[in-house]
């Protein structure tokens, strides 16, 4: 491997913590033992519905209400009003103002920078929302701004091959020698495969490979603590 590109959400930082804080504040009846399953459904509905925003079929505001409402219903909680759904979104965004890079990821980034290994970012989501996270996480201390791609600004999104092709061109990276690191099998691992990239599945939520999919990834890591030694071994 010569170059490396990262996902952002739930890869560079623990996305479940701000989600948990917002749920506790707005929907206190959600049981602690349901929090992980609710988060997984929230990610599922985010990935499933954001293409409707990209195609202008839905507003971003409606999508954000829909994903939390459907997630709660999936776990047999009552439907919520659109107003409460948007209160949750505002609370969640406020919690995202406090996100920090996981210390094990910082070790990875420092190692890559010290060894002059080119780095990049591909993240799905609204441009302003995701770039706010880029700033909060101070990613530009390690990754050049020109090597950061946010899906909404491109018209493509993971797992579409086009966004990986665009990144390879814009970042001046060779697909066969580039490692993509992400937590979502459907978006990150399948997407990297579509683009002809190698991939590392950062499966710290211990998800199963989706039915009908094959394990195309080069490595699987199931904890933040194992991320640094694994990446170090691939780039040493």
């Amino acid at each position: 491997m010569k170059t490396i590109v990262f996902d952002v959400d739930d890869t560079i930082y623990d996305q479940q913590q701000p989600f948990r804080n917002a749920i506790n504040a707005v929907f206190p009846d959600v049981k602690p033992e349901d929090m992980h399953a609710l988060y997984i459904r929230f990610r599922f509905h985010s990935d499933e519905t954001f293409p409707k925003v990209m195609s202008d079929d839905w507003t971003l505001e409606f999508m954000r209400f829909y994903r939390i409402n459907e997630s709660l219903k999936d776990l047999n909680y009552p439907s919520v009003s659109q107003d409460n759904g948007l209160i949750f979104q505002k609370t969640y965004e406020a919690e995202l103002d406090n996100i920090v890079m996981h210390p094990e990821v910082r070790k990875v980034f420092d190692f890559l920078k010290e060894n002059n290994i080119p780095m990049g970012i591909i993240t799905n989501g609204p441009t302003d929302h995701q770039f706010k996270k880029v700033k909060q996480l101070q990613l530009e201390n390690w990754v050049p701004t020109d090597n950061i791609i946010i899906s909404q600004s491109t018209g493509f999104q993971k797992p579409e091959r086009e966004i990986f092709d665009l990144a390879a061109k814009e970042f001046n990276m060779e697909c066969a020698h580039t490692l993509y690191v992400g937590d979502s099998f459907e978006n990150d691992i399948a997407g990297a495969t579509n683009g002809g990239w190698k991939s590392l599945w950062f499966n710290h939520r211990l998800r199963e490979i989706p039915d009908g999919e094959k394990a195309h990834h080069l490595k699987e890591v199931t904890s933040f603590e194992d991320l640094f030694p694994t990446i170090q071994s691939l780039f040493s």
Side-chain angles (χ1 to χ4, degrees):
M1 294 294 98
K2 297 179 180 178
T3 51
I4 188 167
V5 180
F6 291 84
D7 170 48
V8 172
D9 292 320
D10 220 30
T11 296
I12 292 175
Y13 72 99
D14 180 359
Q15 191 179 25
Q16 197 168 124
Q17 186 61 56
F19 176 81
R20 184 186 300 114
N21 292 347
I23 289 291
N24 287 335
V26 181
F27 305 118
D29 291 338
V30 172
K31 299 174 183 177
E33 58 267 29
D34 287 340
M35 196 66 72
H36 177 71
L38 183 64
Y39 168 78
I40 295 299
R41 296 309 297 168
F42 183 77
R43 290 290 302 274
F44 170 80
H45 288 298
S46 294
D47 293 340
E48 182 185 52
T49 57
F50 191 66
K52 295 180 183 294
V53 177
M54 294 277 285
S55 61
D56 292 325
D57 292 326
W58 284 11
T59 65
L60 183 59
E61 185 178 78
F62 179 77
M63 180 276 254
R64 286 170 165 170
F65 155 70
Y66 179 92
R67 67 180 177 179
I68 187 59
N69 188 50
E70 291 300 308
S71 300
L72 288 165
K73 286 163 56 180
D74 288 346
L75 271 69
N76 298 315
Y77 288 98
S79 296
V80 299
S81 69
Q82 191 157 349
D83 285 345
N84 279 343
L86 296 178
I87 289 171
F88 167 77
Q89 177 63 32
K90 289 181 180 179
T91 307
Y92 181 46
E93 287 183 16
E95 290 292 335
L96 289 172
D97 288 342
N98 301 314
I99 59 174
V100 294
M101 182 182 293
H102 194 284
E104 293 297 320
V105 176
R106 181 181 289 271
K107 285 171 61 176
V108 171
F109 277 28
D110 285 344
F111 164 77
L112 295 168
K113 184 175 182 178
E114 288 165 7
N115 286 275
N116 298 310
I117 296 166
M119 301 166 63
I121 296 289
I122 305 174
T123 179
N124 279 358
T127 303
D128 291 347
H129 185 63
Q130 294 303 102
F131 198 66
K132 182 179 178 182
K133 296 175 188 176
V134 167
K135 291 295 187 182
Q136 175 64 26
L137 294 165
Q138 301 179 346
L139 292 181
E140 291 160 301
N141 288 341
W142 295 271
V143 182
T145 305
D146 288 345
N147 280 19
I148 298 172
I149 284 181
I150 300 172
S151 66
Q152 189 180 45
S153 64
T154 70
F156 306 112
Q157 65 174 4
K158 299 178 294 183
E160 294 172 342
R161 174 175 184 159
E162 288 86 349
I163 198 167
F164 288 89
D165 288 347
L166 177 65
K169 180 180 178 181
E170 294 293 323
F171 303 169
N172 193 28
M173 294 181 179
E174 298 177 26
C175 300
H177 299 291
T178 299
L179 184 73
Y180 190 74
V181 180
D183 71 298
S184 168
F185 190 95
E186 294 91 336
N187 287 337
D188 301 323
I189 305 309
T193 301
N194 289 341
W197 297 26
K198 301 295 189 295
S199 63
L200 183 154
W201 188 18
F202 187 27
N203 188 23
H204 60 106
R205 300 297 178 195
L206 303 179
R207 299 182 176 100
E208 297 292 330
I209 294 177
D211 290 342
E213 294 283 355
K214 295 182 180 179
H216 297 294
H217 46 286
L218 187 65
K219 295 282 186 178
E220 179 176 347
V221 172
T222 57
S223 72
F224 277 96
E225 289 70 27
D226 289 337
L227 192 61
F228 174 65
T230 303
I231 290 179
Q232 185 182 40
S233 69
L234 291 170
F235 284 89
S236 296

